[in-house]
Amino acid sequence: KDPASPIATKHSHSSPPTSPIAEATDAAVQVALQKQRIHHKKQLSLLLKQRDDKHLLEIQNLLLKFKELEQEQMAQLEVEKMHKEKSHIMEQQCQTLQNQLEEKEKKL
């Protein structure tokens, strides 16, 4: 065969014509790379999922803490309200007693 035939000139001058062994090796490498890529993608998505789950847990914990704090605050406000009401009632009772005493003193 003549090296100047169209088949021979199809290949670029920089790379020699690939042998079947080289092509097979190349194919095997491509397959291996593809498998590795898939594996990495799976691992990455797994890691992302784990990270998301962790974030979700952290967020849920924060929300729980927030709710607990809110409840504590509400309870505290209730207590304060009760104290205010009680002290108001006490004041009224004191005022009433004082008024009664003054009435008695006036009568005397």
Side-chain angles (χ1 to χ4, degrees), residues 83-100:
H83 275 309
K84 273 184 189 168
E85 283 172 2
K86 270 189 182 172
S87 64
H88 185 64
I89 290 167
M90 294 284 274
E91 271 178 41
Q92 277 183 327
Q93 285 176 340
C94 284
Q95 193 63 47
T96 308
L97 281 172
Q98 211 167 355
N99 286 348
Q100 285 173 351

Side-chain angles (χ1 to χ4, degrees), residues 48-84:
L48 286 173
K49 191 188 178 306
Q50 285 174 342
R51 193 193 68 185
D52 288 348
D53 289 350
K54 198 176 162 194
H55 281 315
L56 268 176
L57 267 176
E58 284 172 7
I59 289 168
Q60 284 172 337
N61 284 340
L62 282 173
L63 278 174
L64 273 175
K65 278 183 190 165
F66 185 71
K67 273 188 180 159
E68 283 169 13
L69 282 172
E70 217 176 13
Q71 284 171 344
E72 272 179 39
Q73 214 173 7
M74 291 299 281
Q76 220 164 349
L77 284 174
E78 276 302 308
V79 169
E80 282 174 24
K81 205 170 102 180
M82 279 168 61
H83 275 309
K84 273 184 189 168

Side-chain angles (χ1 to χ4, degrees), residues 1-13:
K1 277 177 181 168
D2 183 26
S5 69
I7 298 162
T9 54
K10 243 187 203 170
H11 292 290
S12 61
H13 293 292

Side-chain angles (χ1 to χ4, degrees), residues 6-55:
I7 298 162
T9 54
K10 243 187 203 170
H11 292 290
S12 61
H13 293 292
S14 59
S15 68
T18 51
S19 68
I21 295 168
E23 277 180 14
T25 310
D26 201 38
V29 167
Q30 287 302 321
V31 169
L33 280 173
Q34 190 62 31
K35 278 185 183 170
Q36 210 172 6
R37 255 187 236 117
I38 291 167
H39 180 67
H40 283 317
K41 270 187 187 170
K42 279 183 186 169
Q43 286 220 290
L44 191 65
S45 60
L46 195 73
L47 283 171
L48 286 173
K49 191 188 178 306
Q50 285 174 342
R51 193 193 68 185
D52 288 348
D53 289 350
K54 198 176 162 194
H55 281 315

